Amino acid sequence: MDYEAFFRAQLDTLKDDGRYRIFAELERKAGAFPRARHHTEDGVNEVTVWCSNDYLGMGQHPKVLAAMHESLDSCGAGAGGTRNISGTTHAHVQLEAELADLHGKEAALLFTSGYVSNWAALSTLASRLPNCVVLSDALNHASMIEGIRHSRAECIRFAHNDPADLDRKLAAIDPSRPRLVAFESVYSMDGDIAPIAEILDVCEKHGAMSYIDEVHAVGLYGARGGGIAEREGLMDRITVIEGTLGKAFGVMGGYIAGTAAMCDFVRSFASGFIFTTALPPALAAGATASIRHLKNSNAERTAHQTRVAEVRKRLDQIGIPTVDNPSHIIPIMVGDPHKCKRISDWLLEHHGIYVQPINYPTVPMGTERLRVTPSPVHTPGDIDRLVSALSEIWSMCELARRAMAA
C-alpha cells in the first residue's frame, strides 16, 4: 500500500469538502488578552480572539500567575512521575481538596485534561460495574462517547435533554443491572442547558448513577463557580461531577468529584490516571489560586454575563442568525463549510478578528458555524468592531439575515 498517497488523498477530501482545519499560530499577551500575536509566513500581526474557552480571562489573572511563578521557583518544572510513583505533590493534594470543596463532595481526583477525565472515569466505571448499561445523551462530547465505547459496556442513547425518553429507556432495563446516566450541563456547540433536576428525578426513580459533565459551566455559574448544578442547588444529588481547569479557570487539567470511595475506585483502576505523568505542580498551584479567587468573587461572572448579553443584542439588531440559548455561548449559524471558512479567514485578514470556523464532525453537516465566546476582557470597542465586520462579510457572502431586532 502507498501509505503517503492514502494520507494525501484523505487530506485532499477534507480540503475539497471545506473541512480541512488550519490552526492559527497565536501568542497570547498576558495583561492584554484578548489581544494576541498572530504568526504567519508574512510576519506577525495583532489580533483579537473571540473564540477562546478562557471564558473569564483567568489565564492572565495576577493571582494565578503569582501562584504559578512561586510554585515554579520552589518546586521546579515537572511533577517527576506518575501520581503513583513520586508525582503526587503537595500542590496536587491541595487542588483536589479545593475541588471537592467547590462541589460539596467528599473527594476529587485530578487528571491531565477534561478529555482524559471523562474517558478514564466513564470507561472505568462502566467496565468495572458488573453488567453495567450506560445511558448517554445523544449530544454528549466525544470524550464521553470514547470513554463509554472503551468500556465495552452496553450503551443506550437517549434523546437530547429528554427526561421522558430517558425514563422510558431506563424502565426497559432489568433493574438488577447497574445503570449509569451520562450527560452534560452546558452543551458547547449549541449552548443549551440540560434539565438537570428532571434528569436526576429519573435517575433516582430507577436507582441509576448520575454523571454530569460541567466543563463549560464550572467557574461561570453558581454562587462560588460550582457550575449549573450549584446554581440550581443540585450538586448533592449527583453521583459524579466532572469538570475542567482549562476553560473558565484558565489553566489546564480535568477532574471528577464525588464520594471518597468512588474517587478512590477510579484512582485505583483507571489506566488513564495510573499510567500518565502528573500535571506540573505549577499548573496545579495556578488552578488552585483561580478556584479560590472565583469562589469569593462574582465580579468576573457578572461582567461576563453583561458582555454576552451585549453581543447577543448587537447581533440581533443587525439580523445575524444565532442559536438562542440561556448560556454564554453564541453560535453564529452559517450553514456552509466553505462560507464558514471564508468568513473566518476574511475577519482575520481584514479586521484582525479571530473566530475559528466550526465544521463537521464537531457539528452536523449543514450546521457549520462560528462559535463566539465573549469575555469580561472584551471591550465595547471590540464588540463594535466584531459586529461591524460581521455585518460587512455577511452581505458579501449573500447570507440570509433574520428580521432585525428593534
Side-chain angles (χ1 to χ4, degrees):
M1 181 177 184
D2 187 338
Y3 299 109
E4 288 298 310
F6 174 80
F7 299 150
R8 287 193 295 269
Q10 292 292 301
L11 293 171
D12 287 342
T13 298
L14 287 178
K15 293 174 182 177
D16 291 342
D17 292 344
R19 297 189 290 117
Y20 181 74
R21 300 180 181 188
I22 297 174
F23 297 155
E25 183 181 339
L26 303 177
E27 184 180 355
R28 283 160 56 102
K29 296 171 68 175
F33 194 77
R35 306 289 179 270
R37 298 180 183 91
H38 179 217
H39 292 258
T40 69
E41 293 179 355
D42 297 325
V44 181
N45 300 298
E46 185 176 277
V47 299
T48 302
V49 180
W50 274 100
C51 55
S52 174
N53 284 340
D54 186 1
Y55 292 129
L56 300 177
M58 293 302 293
Q60 61 182 353
H61 195 281
K63 290 182 182 178
V64 175
L65 300 185
M68 294 184 72
H69 280 296
E70 181 181 352
S71 176
L72 187 63
D73 290 339
S74 62
C75 299
T82 65
R83 290 290 299 274
N84 287 339
I85 305 175
S86 84
T88 294
T89 70
H90 183 54
H92 296 102
V93 176
Q94 285 185 310
L95 176 53
E96 287 173 338
E98 205 69 46
L99 289 165
D101 175 77
L102 176 66
H103 294 292
K105 297 296 186 183
E106 291 179 346
L109 189 65
L110 182 63
F111 295 85
T112 50
S113 72
Y115 190 104
V116 173
S117 57
N118 268 334
W119 182 88
L122 283 167
S123 64
T124 300
L125 291 168
S127 64
R128 290 275 173 174
L129 287 166
N131 201 26
C132 180
V133 57
V134 181
L135 292 102
S136 176
D137 186 284
L139 293 187
N140 274 342
H141 189 263
S143 59
M144 303 174 79
I145 295 168
E146 287 297 326
I148 296 164
R149 182 180 297 154
H150 183 74
S151 75
R152 299 187 178 180
E154 180 183 356
C155 179
I156 299 172
R157 296 206 319 171
F158 64 93
H160 176 55
N161 280 349
D162 190 337
D165 188 50
L166 174 62
D167 187 26
R168 286 189 295 270
K169 287 174 175 171
L170 275 170
I173 300 170
D174 181 345
S176 68
R177 296 181 66 182
R179 287 144 295 165
L180 175 61
V181 176
F183 64 105
E184 301 181 37
S185 60
V186 178
Y187 287 82
S188 62
M189 289 299 117
D190 288 334
D192 53 332
I193 295 177
I196 301 174
E198 291 86 347
I199 290 174
L200 295 178
D201 289 343
V202 175
C203 291
E204 290 162 1
K205 173 183 174 181
H206 295 280
M209 294 176 63
S210 53
Y211 183 110
I212 189 170
D213 176 317
E214 287 253 46
V215 298
H216 290 277
V218 290
L220 299 172
Y221 300 95
R224 301 197 307 158
I228 301 293
E230 183 196 23
R231 185 186 72 179
E232 299 181 4
L234 299 169
M235 291 193 298
D236 62 312
R237 296 175 58 188
I238 301 171
T239 312
V240 186
I241 297 175
E242 185 268 349
T244 184
L245 306 169
K247 293 182 171 62
F249 292 127
V251 191
M252 180 184 177
Y255 64 90
I256 59 170
T259 66
M262 186 277 297
C263 289
D264 198 12
F265 177 84
V266 174
R267 180 190 72 86
S268 299
F269 291 106
S271 63
F273 177 86
I274 296 170
F275 296 105
T276 190
T277 300
L279 282 173
L283 290 178
T288 299
S290 182
I291 295 164
R292 285 176 177 168
H293 174 79
L294 290 173
K295 281 180 179 178
N296 296 292
S297 173
N298 275 310
E300 292 81 6
R301 285 186 282 275
T302 300
H304 181 234
Q305 291 300 321
T306 299
R307 293 289 188 279
V308 170
E310 177 65 16
V311 173
R312 284 191 190 281
K313 175 184 174 182
R314 296 286 300 279
L315 292 175
D316 286 345
Q317 287 174 340
I318 61 170
I320 299 294
T322 63
V323 175
D324 188 23
N325 64 54
S327 77
H328 58 283
I329 294 166
I330 305 179
I332 297 175
M333 303 307 291
V334 179
D336 178 281
H338 298 283
K339 288 186 177 180
C340 200
K341 185 176 186 306
R342 178 187 171 192
I343 292 171
S344 175
D345 290 346
W346 189 89
L347 289 173
L348 188 61
E349 181 179 352
H350 294 279
H351 291 277
I353 293 171
Y354 172 52
V355 187
Q356 184 72 15
I358 307 294
N359 297 328
Y360 178 84
T362 306
V363 295
M365 291 182 182
T367 69
E368 292 80 10
R369 67 198 65 184
L370 303 172
R371 179 179 175 275
V372 170
T373 54
S375 75
V377 293
H378 286 101
T379 67
D382 293 332
I383 297 174
D384 289 342
R385 287 186 288 275
L386 173 69
V387 172
S388 174
L390 274 172
S391 184
E392 185 178 350
I393 186 61
W394 214 258
S395 296
M396 290 168 58
C397 288
E398 299 180 328
L399 289 165
R401 297 186 189 233
R402 288 178 174 172
M404 297 186 187

